[in-house]
Amino acid sequence: MYREITKDLLKWKDKSRRKPLLLTGVRQCGKTYIVEEFAKENFDKYVYVNFEGNEKLASIFDYDLDVARIIKELELYFKIKIESGKTLVFFDEIQECPRAITSLKYFCENMRELHVVCAGSLLGVALKSENISFPVGKVNRMQLYPMSFKEFIIANGREDLIETFDNWPSDRVIPELYSESMQKLLKDYYIVGGMPEVVKTWIETKNIEDVEEIQKEILEDYADDFSKHAPISEVPKIRWIWDSIPVQLAKENNKFVFSHVKEGKRSADLEDALQWLDDAGLIKRLYIVEKPEVPLAGFADKTYFKVYMSDVGLLRAKSKIDANTIIEEKDLYIRYKGAFAENYVLNELRANAIEPFFWRSGNTAEIDFVYESEGEIVPVEVKAADNTQAKSYRQFCKKYKVGLGFKLSTKNIAENMCEQTKTYSLPLYLAWNMDNYK
């Protein structure tokens, strides 16, 4: 299946000052698959070194970190000649061999011409361990997310829609010929999400029960990870937080409240557990900025945030929202509709390398997302329906005199001025293409 990150992998392959690549991403988002496909298409040879449950491979790194010796022993083990420029070496589940992580420094310094990629489940958690000597400055890094909506559309055989909307003018109303297909695909995406195995099953079967079975398995695997990889004292707290996320997102004021996780619990009791979920890539914290100035990160309040899930399909499965409830937009869906739209847009922004915040002024005004672009602040208002009369958006634009902003909703495309702000009203299904409207 097509993944946008392939373009970045190709750039990395041809960089003159390339370093070993560290590929991070939530478990089961397709890291191993994408590296294998990349290797098949761009290298003569591929060496797959999986450290999980393989102490023999890990022992190769025990003696010393001489990369020439390590490569020689890997050649003997796999019975293959490893040649720079022709071979991709992939260290998978590298967190199981901390010395392999440390060795990346020496691959960078002494064998930079060799293409080395490493990845692993819960690598973000492992890298926080005091037992791992991380090679700071000696690796390139990339983040792989679950499949974006654009990738989902292409996987469903509708690349023609991507081509259609790639340069769609903001003054041309989108006809039903295209909008109906995109709206249906977006509902499907809310149901299925972007986990590659789930998407593959959906494409092959179009069976909701098959989809939900795999989503359930993924959620169970995540829960098993809590017990296997988290500190024992944190496991119950991690479960409490994990189970509370859909409910907290569905609240009108969906600020994350620790006391709503477990009665009587405070931030000091649960912060480590929340950080573990964040490091694992299962959640994303969205921090508030009350004073939206550049750099936004410098004005963020790390004590006030919302929590979203890494995949909207898993959010639906965890919320136990029936697929037909979304398809037919039944009353039960109204409670979660806004949460799904926000979680979806956040994940689309992050897939486009945008790290947003949100803005709130007291309890009277809020902008769902604000981010930096070329030194300017860009507000993004998200509406799950066709109501785009956003008082908060107008207030924000007037107060901070921003030049560009977006409203995402179920309404058709339009361009107008809000105060002095050029504002693009886009259908939610075009969130992937916001970059084209500037």
Side-chain angles (χ1 to χ4, degrees), residues 1 28 37 42 78 88 99 139 164 210 271 284 293 298 312 333-334 368 377 397 419 423:
M1 290 185 287
Q28 300 188 49
E37 291 300 303
N42 296 281
F78 289 102
L88 177 69
R99 283 181 63 81
V139 296
T164 297
D210 291 344
E271 176 58 37
K284 169 63 179 175
E293 296 182 8
V312 71
Y333 180 47
I334 293 174
D368 298 299
I377 303 297
C397 293
E419 301 298 332
T423 298

Side-chain angles (χ1 to χ4, degrees), residues 357-392:
F357 301 83
F358 76 101
W359 172 81
R360 181 173 288 166
S361 177
N363 292 316
T364 59
E366 179 180 320
I367 298 294
D368 298 299
F369 304 106
V370 292
Y371 67 91
E372 295 174 39
S373 177
E374 299 176 354
E376 301 293 330
I377 303 297
V378 180
V380 181
E381 182 76 1
V382 178
K383 299 290 186 183
D386 60 3
N387 173 24
T388 58
Q389 299 302 311
K391 180 181 177 182
S392 296

